């Protein structure tokens, strides 16, 4: 199938690089977003998200006239939906006495509705947003068929998940293998013809529900593996074992690869997507649900351990939290377990000063982010390493010592060398290490 013009709905971390990449690979692209700030920033030559290489790519796409941005869709050969699919903030489901989160599909619904007036026979629509199983056929298809056209005979419909890594999005967009699941074979093939404009990785064709499951399975697999590492860290502490040593030894087994424990799982993918499976089939997803609960409870485990350093009473204690992002070397704070730890420390009466090298001017209600490391540690009793950002991991304890009155250190990510810190005069504690 031939494509000349594509409309990309949702210009965030996924939609904007995708729109630009189509535009720099020979297609006319209309980028659509309902957020006026996004549209005005892009129209003024700026970008509203931070991703290496994106600014240049946007400039290249817009200056050539191949990418234009709009607040609503228009006629095109293909439509791509790349809008957010978070979980609902307030509402929760319950199955067998255990709570689970619910997918917020309002953006997908309204994006699909916005396409209806422009849908023509022969068009292709691709949903890229991470979605619960059968969203393409049960939610998107009926909305689009409100146009009077039928998916299959009249227009193509496919699901194609995005698997890019923030920080590497522009390279991975073209290099990663891509799954394209059609509601029928011609839809999958139409999707392949579209993405062949820039995808250099393998393109795998399947049906739309399999493609939805694949994406959810990938992130669920990660979540469960982190959950077992986190649970091992609790058991190790109970039994007087050093989890880091135990994992290192276990991983010498040729078929074992245990991940590292930490303060929990965050971000908008791994901590969200497994819930979509739990919500869709709570009776069948007990392990997935349990893993989510283990990871969500891990900040509590970290704080319980820290409390023991102060005789189980944190009232009035001064603590410095180093790192707030949901993982190392990104500026993304969404669903970050580090922020959870900070809030729990505060709820327990501690006064917490935070340092996050990637975020200077973001305001998180109730969380005090200091402009420099020195500001965060100059009046404290305990340094807590919460995110293994390289800049923090590489701190020289000998140089930290004169900057702080703290002599206690708690490493929640296994990022610091215990011997170096102890040699410099600190007393070192670590997640998952029993006394
Ligand atoms: N960011 C990632 O690394 C990543 C990786 C894989 C998958 N995903 C998935 O991709 C999807 C998009 O994620 P993102 O990170 O790009 O989200 P984002 O929040 O960065 O951007 C989404 C954009 O869509 C816009 N939007 C919302 N509703 C709209 C509508 N009806 N019409 C037009 N625009 C609308 C928002 O204003 C926003 O600018 C999600 O389902 C996410 O789970 C994201």
């Amino acid at each position: 199938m031939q494509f000349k013009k594509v409309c990309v709905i949702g210009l965030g971390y996924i939609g904007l690089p995708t729109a630009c990449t189509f535009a720099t690979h020979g297609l006319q692209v209309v980028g659509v977003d309902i957020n006026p700030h996004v549209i005005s920033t892009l129209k003024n030559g700026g970008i509203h998200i931070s991703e290496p290489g994106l600014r240049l790519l946007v400039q290249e796409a817009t200056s050539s006239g191949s990418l234009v941005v709009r607040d609503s869709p228009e006629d095109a050969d293909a439509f791509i939906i790349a809008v957010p699919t978070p979980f609902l903030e307030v509402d929760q489901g319950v199955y067998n006495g255990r709570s689970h989160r619910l997918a917020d599909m309002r953006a997908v619904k309204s994006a699909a509705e916005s396409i209806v007036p422009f849908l023509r026979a022969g068009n292709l629509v691709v949903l890229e947003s991470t979605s619960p199983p059968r969203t393409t056929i049960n939610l998107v298809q009926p909305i689009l068929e409100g146009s009077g056209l039928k998916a299959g005979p009249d227009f193509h419909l496919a699901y194609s998940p995005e698997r890019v890594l923030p920080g590497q999005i522009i390279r991975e967009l073209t290099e990663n293998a891509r799954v394209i699941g059609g509601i029928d074979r011609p839809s999958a093939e139409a999707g392949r013809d579209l993405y062949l404009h820039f995808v250099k990785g393998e393109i795998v064709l399947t049906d739309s529900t399999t493609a939805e499951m694949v994406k959810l399975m990938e992130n669920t697999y990660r979540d469960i593996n982190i959950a077992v590492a986190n649970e091992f860290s609790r058991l190790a502490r109970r039994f007087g074992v050093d989890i880091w040593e135990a994992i290192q030894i276990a991983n010498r087994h040729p078929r074992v690869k245990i991940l590292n424990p930490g303060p929990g799982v965050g971000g908008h993918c791994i901590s969200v997507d497994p819930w979509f499976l739990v919500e869709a089939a709570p009776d069948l997803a007990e392990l997935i649900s349990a893993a989510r609960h283990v990871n969500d409870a891990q900040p509590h485990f970290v704080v319980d351990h820290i409390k023991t350093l102060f005789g189980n009473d944190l009232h009035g204690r001064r603590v410095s939290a180093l790192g707030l992002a949901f993982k190392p070397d990104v500026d993304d704070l969404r669903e970050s377990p580090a922020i959870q730890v900070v809030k729990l420390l505060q709820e327990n009466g501690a006064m917490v000063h935070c340092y996050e090298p990637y975020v200077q001017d973001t305001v998180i209600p109730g969380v005090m982010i200091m402009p420099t490391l020195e500001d965060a540690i100059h009046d404290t009793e305990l340094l807590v390493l919460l995110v293994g950002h390289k800049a923090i991991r590489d701190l020289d304890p000998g140089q930290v010592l004169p900057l702080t009155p703290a002599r206690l250190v708690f490493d929640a990510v296994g990022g610091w060398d215990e011997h170096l810190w102890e040699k410099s005069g600190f007393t070192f504690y670590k997640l998952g290490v029993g006394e």
Side-chain angles (χ1 to χ4, degrees), residues 9-10 12-14 33-34 83-85 110-111 129-130 162 166 215 268:
I9 322 248
Y13 284 94
I14 298 301
D33 206 288
I34 49 166
V83 296
T85 46
S110 70
S129 302
T130 308
E162 195 45 79
K215 171 69 190 175
H268 52 289

Side-chain angles (χ1 to χ4, degrees), residues 329-359:
D329 298 315
V330 298
D331 65 353
D332 194 340
L333 303 175
R334 287 179 287 183
E335 314 295 334
S336 174
I339 294 174
Q340 271 285 99
V341 170
V342 169
K343 291 188 169 167
L344 288 170
L345 288 168
Q346 292 178 160
E347 279 167 28
N348 277 276
M351 292 178 297
V352 188
H353 285 170
C354 306
Y355 172 61
E356 171 45 68
Y358 285 87
V359 174

Side-chain angles (χ1 to χ4, degrees), residues 140-274:
V140 176
Q141 183 174 334
I143 293 173
L144 296 176
E145 289 184 341
S147 63
L149 299 170
K150 274 215 82 54
D154 297 330
F155 67 92
H156 300 300
L157 176 59
Y159 178 78
S160 183
E162 195 45 79
R163 300 138 118 191
V164 287
L165 183 71
Q168 308 277 338
I169 291 180
I170 287 157
R171 184 180 58 76
E172 289 205 353
L173 207 54
T174 57
E175 290 181 6
N176 285 0
R178 180 170 281 273
V179 186
I180 302 173
I183 56 136
D184 54 13
R185 187 73 191 177
S187 291
E189 287 170 357
R192 178 199 55 207
D193 295 345
L194 176 64
Y195 286 99
L196 267 176
H197 280 89
F198 66 74
V199 172
K200 298 194 198 85
E202 189 186 358
I203 295 183
V204 186
L205 302 190
T206 182
D207 65 87
S208 57
T209 308
T210 302
E212 290 161 350
M213 273 283 285
V214 165
K215 171 69 190 175
L216 297 175
M217 282 162 43
E218 290 164 357
N219 283 348
T220 299
Y221 176 84
R222 297 276 298 161
D223 196 45
I224 288 176
N225 278 286
I226 298 168
V228 82
N230 283 338
E231 198 155 280
F232 286 154
S233 74
R234 301 175 191 184
L235 293 166
R237 180 157 157 70
R238 166 84 53 92
F239 298 124
V241 167
D242 178 334
I243 190 60
W244 307 92
E245 183 194 359
I247 288 176
Q248 225 181 45
I249 299 170
N251 282 348
R252 299 225 172 106
H253 183 298
R255 285 169 296 284
V256 170
K257 178 77 190 77
I258 301 169
L259 302 180
N260 285 338
V265 172
H268 52 289
C269 289
I270 297 182
S271 69
V272 175
D273 303 350

